[in-house]
């Protein structure tokens, strides 16, 4: 039971931490390539330029909305990042200067961008910790100051960031896989264009922003803000679904509900096993009462009250079940630790769950020990004394 | 039928009757027993099986209640008391000794002796002191830490005697105390009873079928078919059987 609780609690914590890492006080709006079906495809293939997603206009509008504190924009340059000849899944991202502050990542080495970097379109980059692993040799620990070539441009690495939650943003992936450059640098170097090969035809894709982190002032009204935001986007983007929205806060609530159901199911299983175990204990104690009826008779002859006998057997049962509880806790904690050790899956065993288990195990003793103890007390001393 | 108090008597049975009723069948087992045990006496109830000896033992030990008649224990009528009161009197006034010792195998000798004192709610310090005294008195002071399974039958019965004495009861009620012992040990145990009776003035009531124990008693009460029979046994007439 402890193990079950620990696993479910651990799963819950890690899922919640993931979501919380995205920030519960923000709404994530992202660009999505419209599905290439039916009319849109023919109309798109007519023009060489495919244009979709969030725009600067959207951004300035969202910034003016109620309850919106700030908007952080990210855009994917859509360059293939190669290590030698292999394509990596890293992404070159132009970001706002506040991106680091508003994300769960922290600076591991070096520095973050300065306003001057932005103003002067300086070719510098801050890389996620996975980038270092993929792009550099194993021994290369201090890569700050080194140059990183992406396509035909070279960037000087000024810092390494680490997002300990490994949280993923929709469409553009995890922060640890990003090569971040100042947004202004990105715009100056690449404009908003990206060449894109698809089968035999190549295309130019134009996306102004891939992601907005919309930070709200008051989480209490986040639902409302999200609704208005999606209303606005529906109106301006028309029927083409080239955007998507995630509200971590909503996810959090959903996740909590799912987890609660999970915990309830786990709890019921544990409860049923407690009942089964309790009935087992009861049978053992009844057998024990039968086996020890001579002792009961002797004790009664020596002056034990019925209540003394009752208490004796009840205490024995409670002791037995509490011992079982202690062993169960030890085994449960052991299992939880083993799981964590081998799978890295976090398990959480809280003090309250251990305390609760102890209380429940002695309670099982009281509930299922009462009947056998009552039986013991009701034995007729004459007949049990004669028995062998 | 007189019911007034009578100073020296520990036990007074007045017309005790016990009838077992099974459905329509009425089986009278005790058909009017009158007997007394005085302080300091060593009394033997002797009877063959079916004489009502066990039933009388149960009534004397307050494990059973008589259908009719009165049982005075130290001048208190105890025949019809409640469960709780009976248990209390059993605890304080009667020291049980069984044929098969009935010691608790999972307790040490010392703890076994302490059991009746435990039920009398006597504090631990006093219990231990008295347990040691009693163990010494029955000659087993050096065995306090042992388990009953490590002792011989005779030693077990000595411990049982110590246990019976632990609450300083009004009398000791022994049920065939030598039934599971060989002749030599059995004589030793009887000797111990005599010692306790003579030197400490312990009143002893022994219930047995064994006429060989006859010569040990101050007074023999013969049970035949639920009645007290004054005719002496054959061996009493002929002399001690051996």
């Amino acid at each position: 039971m402890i193990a079950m609780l620990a696993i479910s609690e651990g799963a819950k914590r890690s899922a919640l931490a993931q979501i919380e890492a995205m920030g519960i006080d923000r709404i994530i709006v992202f660009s999505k390539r419209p599905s290439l079906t039916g009319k849109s495809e023919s109309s798109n293939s007519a023009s060489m330029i495919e244009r979709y997603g969030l725009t600067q206009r959207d951004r300035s509008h969202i910034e003016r909305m109620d309850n919106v504190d700030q908007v952080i924009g990210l855009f994917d340059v859509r360059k293939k990042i190669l290590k030698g000849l292999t394509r990596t899944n890293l992404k070159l991202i132009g970001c706002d200067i506040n991106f680091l502050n508003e994300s769960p990542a922290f600076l591991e080495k070096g520095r973050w961008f300065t306003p001057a970097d932005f103003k002067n379109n300086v070719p510098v980059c801050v890389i996620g910790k996975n980038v270092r692993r993929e792009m550099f040799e194993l021994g290369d620990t201090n890569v700050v100051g080194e140059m990183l070539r992406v396509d035909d441009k070279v960037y000087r690495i000024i810092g390494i960031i680490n997002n300990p939650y490994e949280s993923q943003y929709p469409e553009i992936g995890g922060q640890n896989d990003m090569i971040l450059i100042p947004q202004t640098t990105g715009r100056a170097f690449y404009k908003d264009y990206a060449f894109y090969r698809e089968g035999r035809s190549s295309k130019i894709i134009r996306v102004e922003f891939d992601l907005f982190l919309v930070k709200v002032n008051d989480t209490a009204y986040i639902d409302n803000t999200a609704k208005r935001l999606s209303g606005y986007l529906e109106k301006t983007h028309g029927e083409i679904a080239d955007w998507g929205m995630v509200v971590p806060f909503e996810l959090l609530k959903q996740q909590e509900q799912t987890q609660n159901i999970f915990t309830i199911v786990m709890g019921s299983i544990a409860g049923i096993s407690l009942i089964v175990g309790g009935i087992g204990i009861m049978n053992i104690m009844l057998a024990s009462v039968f086996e020890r009826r001579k002792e009961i008779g002797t004790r009664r002859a020596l002056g034990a009250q019925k209540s003394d006998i009752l208490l004796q057997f009840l205490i024995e049962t409670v002791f037995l079940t509490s011992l079982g509880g202690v062993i169960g806790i030890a085994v449960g904690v052991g299992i939880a630790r083993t799981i964590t050790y081998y799978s890295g899956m976090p398990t959480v065993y809280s003090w309250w769950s251990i305390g609760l288990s102890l209380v429940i195990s002695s309670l099982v003793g009281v509930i299922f020990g009462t009947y056998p103890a009552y039986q013991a007390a009701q034995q007729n001393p004459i007949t049990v004394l004669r028995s062998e | 039928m007189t019911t007034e108090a009578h100073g020296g008597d520990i036990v007074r049975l007045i017309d005790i009757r016990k009838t077992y009723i099974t459905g329509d069948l009425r089986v009278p087992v005790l058909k009017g027993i009158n007997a007394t045990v005085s302080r300091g006496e060593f009394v033997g109830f002797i009877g063959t099986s079916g004489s009502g000896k066990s039933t009388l033992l149960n009534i004397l030990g307050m494990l059973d209640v008589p259908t009719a008649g009165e049982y005075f224990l130290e001048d208190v009528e105890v025949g019809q008391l409640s469960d709780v009161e009976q248990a209390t009197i059993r605890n304080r006034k009667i020291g049980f000794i069984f044929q098969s010792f009935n010691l608790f195998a999972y307790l040490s000798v010392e703890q076994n002796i302490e059991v009746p004192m435990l039920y009398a709610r006597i504090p631990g310090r006093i219990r231990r002191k008295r347990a040691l005294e009693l163990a010494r008195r029955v000659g087993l002071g050096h065995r306090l830490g042992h388990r009953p399974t490590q002792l011989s039958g005779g030693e077990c019965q000595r411990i049982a005697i110590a246990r019976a004495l632990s609450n300083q009861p009004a009398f000791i009620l022994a049920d065939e105390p030598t039934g599971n012992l060989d002749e030599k040990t059995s004589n030793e145990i009887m000797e111990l009873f005599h010692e306790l009776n003579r030197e400490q003035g312990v009143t002893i009531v022994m219930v047995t079928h064994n006429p060989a124990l006859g010569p040990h008693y101050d007074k023999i009460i013969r049970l035949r078919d639920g009645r007290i029979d004054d005719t002496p046994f054959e061996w009493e007439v002929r002399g001690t059987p051996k």
Side-chain angles (χ1 to χ4, degrees):
Chain A
M1 196 181 128
I2 288 279
M4 278 190 200
L5 278 178
I7 291 165
S8 97
E9 193 73 15
K12 186 168 160 181
R13 292 274 174 97
S14 70
L16 295 188
Q18 281 269 342
I19 293 168
E20 259 172 52
M22 297 208 294
I24 56 160
D25 61 343
R26 63 204 57 182
I27 302 165
I28 295 168
V29 187
F30 57 94
S31 297
K32 192 166 75 175
R33 206 167 168 215
S35 53
L36 302 174
T37 49
K39 258 195 292 182
S40 61
E41 190 184 10
S42 58
S43 68
N44 275 336
S45 52
S47 68
M48 280 285 286
I49 298 178
E50 188 181 337
R51 194 192 168 114
Y52 67 89
L54 305 167
T55 61
Q56 185 61 47
R57 229 185 73 204
D58 295 335
R59 178 178 184 153
S60 39
H61 185 95
I62 294 169
E63 272 170 348
R64 280 199 303 274
M65 281 169 72
D66 275 351
N67 199 24
V68 171
D69 178 39
Q70 58 170 313
V71 176
I72 292 140
L74 298 177
F75 79 97
D76 184 354
V77 177
R78 290 184 168 69
K79 285 285 174 202
K80 288 174 197 159
I81 308 219
L82 301 173
K83 152 93 174 155
L85 289 171
T86 0
R87 189 173 173 181
T88 63
N89 61 352
L90 306 176
K91 283 189 156 66
L92 185 62
I93 304 280
C95 71
D96 280 353
I97 195 159
N98 283 339
F99 183 47
L100 181 67
N101 287 341
E102 298 304 327
S103 77
F106 60 89
L107 202 57
E108 216 174 51
K109 276 199 180 98
R111 65 173 178 87
W112 182 247
F113 304 117
T114 60
D117 293 331
F118 273 78
K119 207 173 158 199
N120 304 324
N121 304 342
V122 183
V124 288
C125 68
V126 171
I127 59 174
K129 66 166 185 187
N130 294 348
V131 177
R132 190 192 60 120
R133 217 172 48 207
E134 289 216 30
M135 299 298 285
F136 294 93
E137 301 304 322
L138 217 57
D140 242 346
T141 45
N142 193 9
V143 297
V144 174
E146 289 195 24
M147 295 301 177
L148 186 68
R149 171 181 286 276
V150 178
D151 219 35
D152 57 342
K153 298 284 192 299
V154 176
Y155 298 93
R156 191 160 56 82
I157 298 170
I158 57 168
I160 300 173
I161 59 167
N162 180 3
N163 178 340
Y165 301 99
E166 303 275 350
S167 49
Q168 301 278 318
Y169 290 104
E171 300 290 317
I172 58 172
Q175 227 173 350
N176 291 336
D177 298 321
M178 291 178 183
I179 301 168
L180 297 168
I181 54 174
Q183 179 136 208
T184 49
T185 311
R187 301 267 183 227
F189 284 5
Y190 305 101
K191 307 286 183 287
D192 300 327
Y193 298 103
F195 288 98
Y196 204 81
R197 287 179 86 93
E198 192 169 68
R200 272 161 294 144
S201 64
S202 64
K203 252 183 212 153
I204 293 171
I205 288 183
R206 189 166 180 196
V207 179
E208 285 182 34
F209 282 101
D210 281 272
L211 190 94
F212 289 151
L213 293 174
V214 182
K215 193 182 176 197
V216 299
N217 285 321
D218 191 346
T219 320
Y221 305 118
I222 198 163
D223 286 1
N224 190 298
T225 310
K227 229 175 267 166
R228 279 185 295 125
L229 215 159
S230 66
Y232 161 77
L233 289 172
E234 265 163 29
K235 215 157 59 189
T236 52
H237 288 244
E239 280 175 19
I240 311 159
D242 61 350
W243 58 276
M245 192 167 81
V246 175
V247 187
F249 187 71
E250 295 280 299
L251 285 181
L252 193 73
K253 283 199 289 191
Q254 277 175 17
Q255 184 68 25
E256 259 172 359
Q257 275 172 6
T258 320
Q259 281 300 332
N260 284 345
I261 292 170
F262 187 60
T263 309
I264 288 170
V265 170
M266 288 279 213
S268 324
I269 292 171
I272 289 167
S273 56
L274 277 179
I275 291 174
V276 171
I279 289 170
I281 291 276
M282 190 158 85
N283 274 317
I284 288 167
M285 287 315 287
L286 281 173
S288 159
V289 167
F290 183 74
E291 226 169 61
R292 289 163 65 185
R293 51 199 203 289
K294 195 171 174 191
E295 179 194 329
I296 295 167
T298 310
R299 284 182 180 274
R300 296 274 281 136
L302 295 178
Q305 305 283 358
K306 279 182 180 174
S307 58
D308 291 325
I309 302 289
L310 187 97
L311 216 62
Q312 180 192 344
F313 277 87
L314 199 57
I315 288 170
E316 277 178 28
T317 315
V318 170
F319 178 76
L320 205 69
T321 55
S322 302
L323 196 75
V326 170
I327 293 171
I329 287 166
V331 170
V333 169
I335 289 174
R337 285 209 171 179
T338 313
I339 287 174
T340 310
Y341 183 78
Y342 285 108
S343 73
M345 190 175 145
T347 49
V348 178
Y349 40 91
S350 49
W351 288 111
W352 72 259
S353 75
I354 288 175
L356 188 75
S357 307
L358 270 181
V359 169
I360 287 178
S361 59
S362 18
L363 216 63
V364 165
V366 173
I367 291 168
F368 292 98
T370 304
Y371 178 66
Y374 175 77
Q375 284 293 316
Q378 291 306 312
Q379 297 285 334
N380 182 353
I382 303 165
T383 47
V384 292
L385 264 177
R386 294 265 161 232
S387 65
E388 269 311 315
Chain B
M1 192 189 301
T2 70
T3 53
E4 70 263 22
H6 191 285
D9 292 344
I10 298 268
V11 173
R12 209 140 47 86
L13 301 176
I14 297 164
D15 198 30
I16 293 285
R17 288 165 192 276
K18 181 75 185 179
T19 306
Y20 287 108
I21 300 166
T22 323
D24 290 340
L25 206 65
R26 294 167 62 86
V27 184
V29 178
L30 297 179
K31 300 164 184 168
I33 302 281
N34 289 290
T36 54
V37 176
S38 306
R39 194 175 298 280
E41 252 184 335
F42 192 170
V43 177
F45 281 85
I46 303 184
T48 53
S49 14
S51 63
K53 161 176 65 103
S54 301
T55 308
L56 185 62
L57 175 91
N58 289 336
I59 289 171
L60 275 171
M62 297 181 64
L63 294 169
D64 205 353
V65 287
T67 317
E70 285 165 308
Y71 172 14
F72 287 91
L73 177 56
E74 288 190 327
D75 301 324
V76 182
E77 219 283 286
V78 295
Q80 309 293 340
L81 293 179
S82 75
D83 258 6
V84 175
E85 290 165 317
Q86 282 191 337
T88 310
I89 291 177
R90 268 205 301 279
N91 184 230
R92 314 284 157 96
K93 301 286 182 196
I94 305 175
F96 268 92
I97 293 169
F98 306 93
Q99 179 174 1
S100 49
F101 327 133
N102 292 19
L103 297 176
F104 305 123
Y106 56 87
L107 297 179
S108 72
V109 164
E110 183 181 11
Q111 287 165 327
N112 264 290
I113 299 174
E114 284 180 19
V115 168
M117 295 191 271
L118 210 67
Y119 290 128
R121 312 279 186 265
I122 289 170
R125 205 168 37 80
I126 301 173
R127 283 205 308 267
R128 278 186 292 280
K129 192 166 149 263
R130 214 185 276 172
L132 179 64
E133 272 169 27
L134 288 166
R136 283 199 183 130
R137 194 193 285 181
V138 297
L140 289 170
H142 57 294
R143 289 293 182 100
L144 277 181
H146 289 228
R147 301 270 150 161
T149 45
Q150 297 167 314
L151 305 180
S152 73
E155 286 172 320
C156 280
Q157 198 59 295
R158 282 164 189 270
I159 296 305
I161 292 168
R163 179 175 69 181
L165 289 169
S166 66
N167 275 342
Q168 291 148 341
F171 69 99
I172 286 210
L173 183 61
D175 175 17
E176 302 270 13
T178 57
N180 279 12
L181 303 172
D182 61 40
E183 203 183 324
K184 183 169 163 288
T185 328
S186 149
N187 284 335
E188 280 168 23
I189 293 294
M190 288 310 287
E191 198 43 54
L192 177 64
F193 276 121
H194 273 295
E195 245 177 70
L196 292 170
N197 179 243
R198 253 182 283 117
E199 288 163 23
Q200 266 120 26
V202 178
T203 311
I204 301 170
V205 176
M206 199 172 283
V207 178
T208 182
H209 73 279
N210 187 0
L213 298 175
H216 290 284
Y217 306 127
D218 295 343
K219 183 159 93 185
I220 295 171
I221 297 170
R222 285 168 291 269
L223 281 171
R224 269 200 198 103
D225 195 24
R227 287 197 177 83
I228 288 182
D229 188 346
D230 289 327
T231 1
F233 290 106
E234 197 186 331
W235 51 264
E236 285 178 89
V237 182
R238 279 196 289 134
T240 312
K242 272 286 161 172

